[in-house]
Amino acid sequence: MNAKRLTTPKEKVQQLQEKLGHAAKENKKRKFHALYDKVHRWDVLCEAWNRVRANKGAAGINAIALADIEREGEVSFLRDLQRNLQEGTYRPDPVRRHYIPKKDGKQRPLGIPTVRDRVVQMATKLMMEPIFEADFQETSFGFRPERGAKGALERIRKACNRKGNWVVDVDIQGYFDNINQGKLMKLVQMRINDRRILKLIRKWLQAGVMEEGTLRRSDLGTPQGGVISPLLANIYLNYFDQMWEKHGKGVGELTRYADDMVVVCKTKKEADHAYKLICTIMERLELTLHPTKTRIVGLWTGEEGFDFLGMHHRKTKAETSQGVVYYTTQQWLTTKAEERIREVVKGRLSPPSMRSRTFEEHVEWLNPKIQGWKNYYYTNYSQRKLAKLNWYILQRLTRWYAKKRQRRRWMGSFQEVKYMAKQIGLKTLL
């Protein structure tokens, strides 16, 4: 007889998630009481650790990095964590504040939890996600399994082509920092009634932020950067999606990606009505719309467009083979996205320290990036912009090569670099 094949932690967790998801779909009013014991199950903690490790990420305030845990022993780390959770002695650390510079000169604050806290958050997310997935709407695409930005962009393109000539482009001011924690917990409790899980979530929300040696706590917001934060943010805005489904469906078609959303309407009157309705629902959630970034855009003349998820959307004239003129929605990468790609390429090839690297090393580093950009930004209407970026990448490689060879004029090396790039297999955006 064949011995029964032992399933991996990943397979066991998937099986458990399927059961939870099925139970949540079967009964939309069901509350889940016994989840905490599943969070500290060995297979769940192992899968949570594998995912946290795959996401890489920096150390939290205790300065313990992923590599330190791997060196000291993953099993003993997970056993300690399991014991803490079972005995109820687990306490999260404050998150470490880290700032990412934004294009407008401002800085985006990120909260980096410790690796230990990330593993517990991941284990909790693995158990909560399938339950809330049963309630999430078709309009929502961000930070959800098997859904993503491409799906959101396609939904918008189709909505605009179905006589969607007016768009409400919505921007929520400081969304992650302004989530009302009390209201968020009430929305979580609509599905989860396990006191220990609710206590865990409250602890993460109230753990505070460590910045320059000072601990700051707030009754508002969920720290950006936490593993559980995107799920909590989706739970909070799912209320908006449900209200829209109830009151706004006939007014316009909503597409939401995390806190970015657009509503596509057929007329200016509907767009005005949609804007008022959005404001009303946001008031209930105690959220504020950005006064200048939230706007109503008229697409029908082709003079105006809007940016969403790195793509610019605009209606332009097209002709059928019979010469019939019609308007279609075109999408191409935004100016911001172009600038970002240029910055990444320049950041790699420009520093003097990079002159010691080989041509092959640079190509090896660039290729996955180029492939990723192509997969995301390529459309029939992006080709001109992508061709310019291809030229920019070759130009930057040529400048790097000329400096490495100590040549004064870089243009003289262009054909040589172009040939080498082809030989070595540099990918292109087209």
Side-chain angles (χ1 to χ4, degrees):
M1 269 178 71
N2 288 338
K4 193 185 172 192
R5 188 173 65 91
L6 285 172
T7 50
T8 62
K10 186 177 183 175
E11 289 168 324
K12 286 181 182 173
V13 169
Q14 275 175 344
Q15 203 175 24
L16 180 54
Q17 285 183 311
E18 279 165 24
K19 280 182 187 169
L20 288 168
H22 184 68
K25 276 184 191 133
E26 285 276 282
N27 181 355
K28 292 282 188 179
K29 290 198 164 67
R30 175 170 174 178
K31 292 194 177 191
F32 290 77
H33 301 273
L35 279 183
Y36 188 80
D37 59 330
K38 294 175 179 66
V39 168
H40 58 65
R41 256 174 54 164
W42 183 248
D43 51 359
V44 174
L45 286 174
C46 286
E47 176 59 9
W49 161 253
N50 288 336
R51 291 195 187 201
V52 167
R53 187 174 50 184
N55 290 342
K56 300 187 169 79
I61 62 161
N62 62 4
I64 297 171
L66 290 159
D68 299 325
I69 292 163
E70 286 170 335
R71 197 168 49 249
E72 296 292 318
E74 300 161 22
V75 173
S76 59
F77 164 75
L78 291 175
R79 286 281 177 222
D80 277 351
L81 201 47
Q82 188 180 41
R83 195 165 50 250
N84 288 160
L85 288 164
Q86 284 169 339
E87 292 169 3
T89 55
Y90 165 76
R91 299 281 178 278
D93 291 303
V95 298
R96 178 170 69 82
R97 177 61 87 219
H98 175 67
Y99 288 96
I100 294 174
K102 285 165 76 175
K103 291 293 295 176
D104 56 8
K106 292 179 184 170
Q107 294 194 311
R108 184 194 297 281
L110 278 187
I112 302 172
T114 60
V115 175
R116 178 175 157 273
D117 291 338
R118 294 210 293 273
V119 172
V120 184
Q121 286 189 18
M122 182 64 84
T124 309
K125 177 183 174 255
L126 288 170
M127 295 304 100
M128 283 173 62
E129 193 167 62
I131 295 166
F132 285 98
E133 272 296 316
D135 299 339
F136 288 163
Q137 305 292 304
E138 281 296 305
T139 51
S140 160
F141 290 85
F143 306 112
R144 291 183 62 191
E146 292 170 39
R147 288 172 84 82
K150 296 288 267 187
L153 291 166
E154 186 57 14
R155 180 180 165 92
I156 289 166
R157 190 186 67 79
K158 284 178 177 172
C160 291
N161 281 345
R162 283 195 295 270
K163 296 185 180 171
N165 288 321
W166 292 89
V167 170
V168 187
D169 184 7
V170 182
D171 189 282
I172 304 170
Q173 210 158 5
Y175 173 58
F176 283 87
D177 296 332
N178 289 300
I179 291 174
N180 180 307
Q181 292 177 3
K183 287 188 175 178
L184 171 62
M185 290 310 297
K186 279 187 181 141
L187 291 167
V188 171
Q189 278 166 279
M190 289 177 85
R191 275 302 206 168
I192 292 174
N193 222 3
D194 184 326
R195 278 175 47 227
R196 290 177 300 174
I197 291 278
L198 298 171
K199 197 174 165 188
L200 260 187
I201 297 168
R202 277 194 200 96
K203 279 179 183 172
W204 289 322
L205 291 173
Q206 291 159 11
V209 174
M210 187 66 81
E211 193 171 358
E212 293 173 2
T214 309
L215 179 62
R216 292 190 183 90
R217 286 196 167 93
S218 172
D219 298 333
L220 280 178
T222 164
Q224 265 181 284
V227 174
I228 198 104
S229 292
L231 176 61
L232 296 177
N234 265 338
I235 291 168
Y236 199 65
L237 277 181
N238 187 50
Y239 175 84
F240 180 92
D241 299 345
Q242 288 171 328
M243 287 296 105
W244 189 264
E245 186 68 17
K246 209 170 171 182
H247 305 289
K249 207 177 176 185
V251 183
E253 191 171 314
L254 168 71
T255 303
R256 182 173 72 77
Y257 189 95
D259 59 325
D260 285 327
M261 59 180 92
V262 294
V263 175
V264 180
C265 306
K266 289 183 178 172
T267 65
K268 174 75 163 69
K269 192 179 172 184
E270 283 180 347
D272 289 334
H273 181 42
Y275 181 82
K276 283 177 190 149
L277 189 52
I278 292 163
C279 290
T280 306
I281 305 170
M282 288 297 176
E283 257 174 58
R284 283 199 199 172
L285 288 166
E286 294 183 37
L287 295 170
T288 313
L289 297 183
H290 197 291
T292 53
K293 289 182 184 173
T294 301
R295 60 199 188 107
I296 294 173
V297 183
L299 296 178
W300 62 283
T301 59
E303 287 164 27
E304 261 193 307
F306 66 97
D307 293 349
F308 187 72
L309 300 178
M311 296 297 263
H312 183 73
H313 303 67
R314 192 180 286 253
K315 282 205 171 180
T316 50
K317 273 184 188 175
E319 249 183 65
T320 66
S321 50
Q322 282 81 38
V324 178
V325 174
Y326 66 99
Y327 276 90
T328 186
T329 309
Q330 298 188 354
Q331 295 172 322
W332 59 79
L333 73 164
T334 62
T335 307
K336 252 187 184 174
E338 274 186 87
E339 284 168 5
R340 178 82 192 106
I341 290 171
R342 286 170 194 268
E343 274 171 21
V344 171
V345 174
K346 188 179 177 182
R348 169 72 186 189
L349 297 171
S350 184
S353 59
M354 284 294 164
R355 284 172 210 165
S356 60
R357 299 291 177 99
T358 64
F359 201 103
E360 286 82 358
E361 279 177 305
H362 285 312
V363 169
E364 198 181 323
W365 187 89
L366 284 166
N367 272 349
K369 298 253 185 310
I370 293 168
Q371 189 61 52
W373 293 327
K374 182 180 178 175
N375 292 349
Y376 189 77
Y377 293 113
Y378 181 87
T379 69
N380 289 339
Y381 311 108
S382 280
Q383 289 182 11
R384 203 162 49 86
K385 285 173 178 281
L386 294 178
K388 275 186 182 175
L389 287 167
N390 272 338
W391 190 85
Y392 180 80
I393 293 166
L394 271 179
Q395 179 202 324
R396 274 283 151 204
L397 264 171
T398 309
R399 284 172 184 269
W400 163 82
Y401 184 72
K403 280 180 176 152
K404 186 179 172 77
R405 292 274 179 274
Q406 294 178 336
R407 294 174 184 168
R408 285 182 63 189
R409 299 174 74 86
W410 65 270
M411 273 305 286
S413 308
F414 189 75
Q415 290 306 323
E416 189 184 342
V417 167
K418 199 175 170 184
Y419 176 77
M420 283 165 70
K422 199 173 180 184
Q423 293 299 106
I424 292 163
L426 177 72
K427 293 193 173 189
T428 69
L429 291 159
L430 289 170

